[in-house]
Amino acid sequence: MDDPVLLTGAGGAVGAAILEGLEDDYEWQLMFHSPPAEEPDHEYLVGDVSSEGDVAAAMDGVGAVIHLAGDPRPEAPWDSVLENNIDGTQKMFEAAVDEGVEKFVFASSNHAVGSFETDERTPEMYRPDDQYRLDGTELPRPGNLYGVSKATGEVLGRYYYDQYGLSVCNIRIGNLTRGHPPIDYERGQAMWLSYRDCAHIHDCALQADYEYEIVYGISDNDRKYYSIERAKEVLGYDPQDNSAHFDGEERVAEPDI
Ligand SMILES: NC(=O)C1=CN([C@@H]2O[C@H](COP(=O)(O)OP(=O)(O)OC[C@H]3O[C@@H](n4cnc5c(N)ncnc54)[C@H](O)[C@@H]3O)[C@@H](O)[C@H]2O)C=CC1
Ligand SMILES: O=C1O[C@H](COP(=O)(O)O)[C@@H](O)[C@H](O)[C@H]1O
């Protein structure tokens, strides 16, 4: 990818993981919602993804998009996800097509499929010996309105691929935490995404050739109930981390590299 890559939501946690890992690998165009505290080392602008003008300005001259901006709260109310997540994402796709962007990587979420975690399946499905897997071919099954907004983003991507040929990769991100997996939280350990695996899967999504994809963005956790086979096969994802290698905050086993 020689053209600049637009990263929305650049000031957030996922944006930080991506920039820490891939800072020097791309020419970045960063989009912040409010002015950053420190002057970034990359081109940037401040804007709102629900503003057509801001989005058009952000998209100018870019070849690919990683769209992270939105309300990330599982408990977010409808008004907020409608504006920030659904309307904002539609405006981003529309502008990407207008600009002739090649690839669009969308930050979807585990919450797009949260209702698969039924009382009958949990907590066993979060444990290493359980064989239950979601692989990205299942229909969305959100457990909250935030999840509905992420499933809607995936469907918008389907439309913009089918009607306009925009390559779209939806990454259903698990639970990103810095340094070590969540402590005393089996679900979080099952879907942990380390910072370096987060940067790597987004790098893969910028480099690989695909049409329309839905993959799970988690580390190679023993506890996983999301398959990472599709991400490996289509994107060449090769995660280095596993929540089982940690005892609380401490790493107790080395990655199998
Ligand atoms: N952190 C995680 O574990 C997961 C995150 N995600 C998704 O990844 C994306 C990034 O999440 P985080 O970095 O954790 O959240 P965050 O809250 O740290 O970052 C989101 C960024 O988007 C910006 N933003 C919000 N509304 C905006 C708007 N209307 N226009 C422009 N910018 C706007 C915020 O100012 C913020 O900097 C979100 O879409 C979230 O739903 C999905 C699954 C898990
Ligand atoms: O989509 C998201 O998922 C993660 C994990 O969900 P949780 O309910 O187990 O915390 C969440 O932390 C993050 O805020 C959200 O954007």
Side-chain angles (χ1 to χ4, degrees):
M1 175 56 55
D2 295 329
D3 292 329
V5 178
L6 170 59
L7 181 70
T8 71
V14 178
I18 293 171
L19 287 173
E20 282 173 28
L22 307 177
E23 177 125 42
D24 300 329
D25 298 351
Y26 296 94
E27 190 183 331
W28 295 102
Q29 159 87 317
L30 309 180
M31 186 181 193
F32 296 92
H33 205 193
S34 48
E38 282 174 27
E39 191 69 12
D41 292 334
H42 304 278
E43 291 290 322
Y44 76 96
L45 76 167
V46 176
D48 196 301
V49 292
S50 65
S51 154
E52 235 171 77
D54 290 353
V55 167
M59 204 66 75
D60 189 31
V62 308
V65 174
I66 298 178
H67 177 44
L68 308 176
D71 189 334
R73 296 171 299 160
E75 71 284 6
W78 182 244
D79 285 357
S80 178
V81 297
L82 186 60
E83 179 176 333
N84 297 298
N85 299 10
I86 297 178
D87 189 41
T89 298
Q90 191 273 334
K91 287 200 165 68
M92 287 290 299
F93 273 119
E94 193 71 29
V97 164
D98 286 349
E99 184 62 29
V101 159
E102 214 180 296
K103 279 177 197 155
F104 193 110
V105 183
F106 173 61
S108 186
S109 169
N110 61 88
H111 285 281
V113 288
S115 285
F116 282 101
E117 295 164 52
T118 58
D119 289 346
E120 292 71 37
R121 291 188 183 125
T122 57
E124 288 73 20
M125 69 190 288
Y126 306 140
R127 296 182 175 158
D129 49 357
D130 194 88
Q131 298 306 308
Y132 188 80
R133 292 284 183 278
L134 299 176
D135 65 7
T137 60
E138 60 281 333
L139 285 174
R141 213 171 147 185
N144 45 45
L145 294 173
Y146 163 72
V148 171
S149 77
K150 290 297 172 179
T152 306
E154 294 180 358
V155 176
L156 282 166
R158 183 79 238 182
Y159 166 71
Y160 282 96
Y161 168 68
D162 283 334
Q163 295 302 315
Y164 298 97
L166 175 64
S167 296
V168 176
C169 183
N170 302 283
I171 303 181
R172 287 182 178 162
I173 301 172
N175 190 327
L176 176 83
T177 57
R178 187 191 284 279
H180 60 80
I183 296 172
D184 294 335
Y185 183 30
E186 287 186 281
R187 177 174 196 268
Q189 291 164 3
M191 61 170 72
W192 183 48
L193 179 63
S194 71
Y195 264 51
R196 67 173 158 178
D197 287 342
C198 179
H200 169 58
I201 197 169
H202 284 88
D203 189 22
C204 292
L206 290 174
Q207 296 295 333
D209 286 327
Y210 48 81
E211 295 177 345
Y212 177 84
E213 288 295 332
I214 297 175
V215 299
Y216 284 98
I218 62 169
S219 290
D220 192 8
N221 307 311
D222 287 358
R223 286 179 180 273
K224 64 182 166 291
Y225 59 91
Y226 298 141
S227 169
I228 53 175
E229 291 311 306
R230 188 74 189 160
K232 286 181 172 178
E233 193 182 313
V234 174
L235 304 183
Y237 180 49
D238 181 21
Q240 302 302 307
D241 288 309
N242 179 344
S243 57
H245 292 167
F246 289 78
D247 180 4
E249 294 183 22
E250 299 303 317
R251 184 185 281 280
V252 291
E254 288 308 313
D256 312 318
I257 303 180

